[in-house]
Every structure is written in structure tokens, then in C-alpha cells.
Amino acid sequence: MARMKFKSAITVSLVKEACSGPFVFQGNLKRSCAQAAKFGFDAVEIFPPSADALDAKKLHLLLKRHRLKVAAIGTGAGWLRHRLTLTNPDIEIRNQAREFIAQIIAFAAGFSAPAIVGSMQGRVEADVSRKQAESWLAEGLIELGKRAGSCGVSLLYEPLNRYETNLFNRAEDAAAFLARRKIRHVKLLCDLFHMNIEEASIPETLRAVAKHLGHIHFADTNRRAMGFGHLEVKPIVEALRDIGYDGYLSAEVLPLPNPEAAARQTIRAFRKLTND
Ligand code: LER
Ligand code: MN
């Protein structure tokens, strides 16, 4: 059987409020794409303030010039800037959250890329039952999954560690939720940083959720570039090969000690681990 080929991606944030977040390049899409290409990445993962803040025509030209793809587009600014979530008790806020994400889904689909629901999932708020919060999350993901499917792409749902949400922390629980609630066109984004906190075994979990897996955030235990922490990553890559994963390993990592060093370390680790 032909060997599966992984794809490399690096994060670019255009959101000022996220300057201390796990984004390698920040603030200037033109310069960030040039740098991503210079280091040899296949794609960029973009974290924009909103869909409106991006210019599709300019982005197509920029990607063409640098032979890059869009790996995914994050929606977290909806939470960071506007405090919108899919599980807020106020229906107006839930609706605004859906609209914010829907616009990013439509924009990303123009680049054959998925949008990501991470922090926009929210949490089980005080005075809300878990059952109710899960139902709101399921309703949101069902509708947004339909939108993604009708544009020919998937939507990515990301379980987060316990310090960021109390909804789903473990990938198998999230996969069971997607199946139980019949949520279509939604795949799992497995972030190795969150998994290191929550999973008993990352390789075994990846094998168990194989059919739901859509994207990987490629980060070490300390949220730094792969190799700058202590993650045992070889068995993880072996598991990804065994399950036939051929998607992105996308570096959602801190720009430490500086963006260039984080990018260089990521691509070095990517090549060494994958021989790609
Ligand atoms: C989003 O992809 C994520 O992993 C969050 O932990 C970032 O705050
Ligand atoms: Mn992540």
C-alpha cells in the first residue's frame, strides 16, 4: 500500500488580543505567508478577527505566489473579541455565535478548507444542566455541519483540556457525542497539547477515533514547537500512519524563543518524524 503523506501547516494570527496565544506568526498575512513558504510549510492555518477581515482575492493571490494552501481557519476570535459561544444560555448570543462561525465556514470553503470550533464551543455555564449545554452544542454543530457539507467541506470540532472547557476534554468522548447526536460533516481536531493533559494514551486514542479524525494540532507538552518539550511523538506518528491519516500536522505553538526558531524547529521535527 502507498505510504500516506502528511501535510505541514503553521499558524498565523491576525487578532491583536491573541498576541500571547499559541500562534507562530502574528499580525501580517503577507509577511507570514512569505515566511511559511520560506521554511517549507505546505499550508497556513489562519486565526482571523472575522470572515469580513479577510480579502479572498488577495489571499488567493498570496497563496498562489507562495504555493501554499489554507489548512484551516479558526473561529476563536468570536469568543475572544465578542464573548460568543454555542452554549451561552442567551439564545441571541448562541445565534450570533452560529452566524459568526457560518461566515468563516463559507469563507474557508472558498479555499477548500475547514473552519474550527474550539473556544467557541463554550462551557456548561453555572445554572445550566450538562444535558442542556450538550443539546445546544449539538444543535449548533448540526446546523453548522450542514452548512459545511453544503459547501463541500467539513467542520472541525476540537476537544479542549479541562482548564479551557468542561464540555468534552477527551477525544473518545467527543467522538461518541458526534455519533450519538448524529452530527454530520463534523470531524475531530485532535490537539496534542490538550491530549497530553487529558488522554491516558495519545496513540491509542487516535486509533480509537480514527474515523472521526480531521486535523491535528502539532504541539509539544509545553505548547512549544515539537521537540521543545517532552512528548513521545514517534508512536503518535506511527498511529497516524497506521490509521491512514493524510491530513495536516499544524503547528499551533507558542512563538518561542522567537517565531523563526519555532517555525524552524517545527519543520525539522515534521521532516524527521515523517520523512516527508
Ligand atoms: C485552539 O485550537 C486551542 O487549542 C486552544 O487551546 C487555544 O487557546
Ligand atoms: Mn488547538
Side-chain angles (χ1 to χ4, degrees):
M1 201 174 79
R3 204 154 183 258
M4 304 311 287
K5 210 166 153 48
F6 301 118
K7 295 174 282 188
S8 61
I10 191 147
T11 44
V12 178
S13 167
L14 306 173
V15 180
K16 274 200 295 291
E17 294 88 333
C19 62
S20 58
F23 304 104
V24 178
F25 297 129
Q26 305 203 8
N28 180 321
L29 198 49
K30 212 168 155 187
R31 194 180 57 221
S32 301
C33 285
Q35 286 198 294
K38 183 186 94 184
F39 283 103
F41 285 91
D42 297 311
V44 283
E45 180 177 314
I46 304 171
F47 188 77
S50 64
D52 298 348
L54 294 167
D55 180 325
K57 207 166 149 199
K58 278 191 189 156
L59 183 55
H60 275 296
L61 285 172
L62 200 52
L63 297 169
K64 193 167 169 212
R65 180 180 324 143
H66 295 296
R67 297 178 188 212
L68 288 167
K69 303 265 187 241
V70 175
I73 303 192
T75 63
W79 161 248
L80 210 55
R81 280 212 169 162
H82 309 291
R83 292 298 184 243
L84 303 175
T85 73
L86 294 175
T87 50
N88 191 290
D90 183 339
I91 187 172
E92 273 306 309
I93 294 182
R94 294 199 303 280
N95 286 342
Q96 285 174 34
R98 283 192 204 182
E99 188 49 35
F100 186 91
I101 297 167
Q103 286 183 15
I104 294 187
I105 290 172
F107 184 92
F111 296 82
S112 305
I116 299 170
V117 174
S119 50
M120 287 287 281
Q121 68 193 274
R123 49 175 29 254
V124 184
E125 304 264 0
D127 301 328
V128 171
S129 68
R130 178 163 188 99
K131 198 168 156 220
Q132 176 65 82
E134 282 190 18
S135 290
W136 284 333
L137 180 63
E139 282 163 22
L141 291 178
I142 286 169
E143 189 202 306
L144 294 166
K146 271 189 203 149
R147 296 230 190 183
S150 72
C151 301
V153 290
S154 305
L155 174 67
L156 297 170
Y157 171 64
E158 180 176 19
L160 303 173
N161 74 68
R162 67 191 65 187
Y163 305 107
E164 298 188 34
T165 187
N166 54 4
L167 281 160
F168 294 101
N169 307 124
R170 295 175 59 251
E172 281 182 84
D173 293 338
F177 168 71
L178 296 180
R180 187 168 67 242
R181 297 283 189 150
K182 300 186 172 51
I183 299 172
R184 301 192 56 229
H185 307 293
V186 178
K187 296 207 153 180
L188 286 184
L189 192 178
C190 286
D191 181 320
L192 302 181
F193 171 78
H194 298 303
M195 294 185 91
N196 173 63
I197 296 170
E198 299 294 345
E199 309 291 355
S201 161
I202 298 178
E204 278 175 31
T205 301
L206 291 170
R207 290 175 202 278
V209 302
K211 72 173 200 274
H212 295 276
L213 184 61
H215 195 73
I216 294 281
H217 276 162
F218 190 60
D220 214 318
T221 48
N222 47 6
R223 221 354 148 211
R224 292 179 62 166
M226 190 58 75
F228 282 167
H230 58 85
L231 191 69
E232 212 193 320
V233 67
K234 257 177 89 174
I236 294 174
V237 172
E238 269 166 32
L240 291 171
R241 280 218 189 284
D242 289 348
I243 64 174
Y245 179 74
D246 60 357
Y248 285 100
L249 301 183
S250 184
E252 190 186 59
V253 302
L254 295 165
L256 295 174
N258 56 59
E260 291 71 27
R264 193 174 302 111
Q265 173 60 28
T266 295
I267 201 74
R268 193 182 288 155
F270 176 87
R271 289 190 176 136
K272 188 163 167 229
L273 285 160
T274 65
N275 296 318
D276 286 346

